[in-house]
Amino acid sequence: MEARTFYGCKENDQAVRHIPSDSEDSELEESDSEEEWTPESDGLPDDNESVDEEENEDDEVSQEDVPRSPRWRTPRNANITDYPEWQANLPKSDSIKSPYEYFKMFFSEDILEIVVEQSNLYAIQRDTNKPLNLTTKELEQFMGTAVYMSLFGLPGTRMFWNKATQVSQVADTMTLNRWEFIKKSLHFNNNEVRQEENVDPLHKIRLLVTGS
C-alpha cells in the first residue's frame, strides 16, 4: 500500500521520503549494532531474588507453626523401679458396712446436734416469726435427699417436685417449701460470736472441725 493512499492525498502534503537501505545513518543498522540495554539495579533487589526470599520466609513460618513432638528425658538420679506397694489386705465381705454406717462415721450425733442448734438459731436471727424447728431426723432426711439429687442431672432442684420430672424418693420424703427453708437456714456456727478482731478463716465451720 502506498503512503499517499494510506494517509490521504493533500496538495500541501510532501512526498514520503524513503530511507535508503545502504545509508550509513540508518537507525535500523544502529539498533542492530548496539548492545541490548538492560536497566541497572540501582541497589534494588531483583524480582527473582525477592520471590526466593519470600518463599524462604514462608517456609520458616510454616516450620514454626508446625507443633513439634515433646522429647521426654529421664532424670539422671530417677529410680523409676520404686513403686509404692499395697501392704494392707482387702476387707472381707463380713466387715463391709452399709452406706448409712459409713455416713455416721463422718456425721456423728454430736455433729448433727450442732448443725440443728445453729440452724435453728440462724433462722430466728433472720426472722423471729418464722422458726425452723429442725430435728436431727429431719436433718438426716435433708442430707439424704441432697446426696440422692447428685445422682441425677437435673439443672434445678425444683424439678424433683415437678410433675413432669418428679422423683418420688425426694418428693415423698419432704415438701419443696420445707426443703428450701432448711437449705436457706442451714448453718454451722453463730455469726454474732464472731468479733471484728477474729480473723479465723474457718469460723463458719469451726464447730464442725473442733466439735466445740
Side-chain angles (χ1 to χ4, degrees), residues 54-118:
E54 291 179 358
E55 291 180 356
N56 294 334
E57 292 179 358
D58 294 340
D59 294 340
E60 293 178 358
V61 173
S62 60
Q63 292 178 1
E64 293 178 357
D65 295 341
V66 175
R68 299 181 180 178
S69 58
R71 297 181 180 179
W72 302 100
R73 296 182 180 178
T74 305
R76 296 180 180 179
N77 299 329
N79 191 359
I80 59 177
T81 58
D82 295 340
Y83 294 105
E85 297 181 0
W86 176 258
Q87 301 295 336
N89 297 324
L90 294 176
K92 298 181 181 180
S93 59
D94 297 337
S95 61
I96 297 177
K97 300 180 181 180
S98 63
Y100 179 75
E101 291 176 343
Y102 286 111
F103 172 81
K104 296 297 291 185
M105 293 174 63
F106 295 94
F107 294 92
S108 61
E109 291 293 336
D110 297 336
I111 293 178
L112 294 178
E113 290 177 0
I114 292 174
V115 177
V116 168
E117 180 182 358
Q118 296 300 325

Side-chain angles (χ1 to χ4, degrees), residues 85-205:
E85 297 181 0
W86 176 258
Q87 301 295 336
N89 297 324
L90 294 176
K92 298 181 181 180
S93 59
D94 297 337
S95 61
I96 297 177
K97 300 180 181 180
S98 63
Y100 179 75
E101 291 176 343
Y102 286 111
F103 172 81
K104 296 297 291 185
M105 293 174 63
F106 295 94
F107 294 92
S108 61
E109 291 293 336
D110 297 336
I111 293 178
L112 294 178
E113 290 177 0
I114 292 174
V115 177
V116 168
E117 180 182 358
Q118 296 300 325
S119 299
N120 290 330
L121 178 61
Y122 180 70
I124 295 175
Q125 291 174 352
R126 292 182 59 189
D127 190 355
T128 56
N129 296 325
K130 294 181 179 180
L132 181 61
N133 297 327
L134 182 65
T135 61
T136 55
K137 181 178 180 180
E138 194 174 20
L139 178 61
E140 290 181 351
Q141 292 176 346
F142 173 82
M143 299 178 70
T145 54
V147 173
Y148 194 77
M149 287 177 179
S150 63
L151 302 177
F152 297 84
L154 297 180
T157 55
R158 293 191 175 186
M159 299 182 67
F160 288 90
W161 286 268
N162 195 313
K163 293 182 179 180
T165 57
Q166 184 178 10
V167 179
S168 60
Q169 289 82 353
V170 177
D172 296 342
T173 302
M174 191 177 299
T175 62
L176 174 61
N177 294 333
R178 183 61 178 174
W179 193 89
E180 289 184 345
F181 189 24
I182 295 174
K183 179 183 177 181
K184 293 179 181 179
S185 304
L186 195 63
H187 230 64
F188 306 102
N189 203 348
N190 188 3
N191 292 339
E192 295 180 355
V193 176
R194 187 174 187 179
Q195 300 176 0
E196 295 180 358
E197 61 273 9
N198 188 0
V199 293
D200 184 12
L202 299 179
H203 172 74
K204 291 288 187 179
I205 59 172

Side-chain angles (χ1 to χ4, degrees), residues 1-17:
M1 179 183 293
E2 294 182 358
R4 293 178 179 275
T5 306
F6 181 79
Y7 291 102
C9 296
K10 292 183 180 180
E11 297 179 357
N12 298 329
D13 289 344
Q14 298 179 358
V16 178
R17 184 179 180 181

Side-chain angles (χ1 to χ4, degrees), residues 114 205-212:
I114 292 174
I205 59 172
R206 177 55 62 186
L207 295 179
L208 295 179
V209 177
T210 60
S212 59

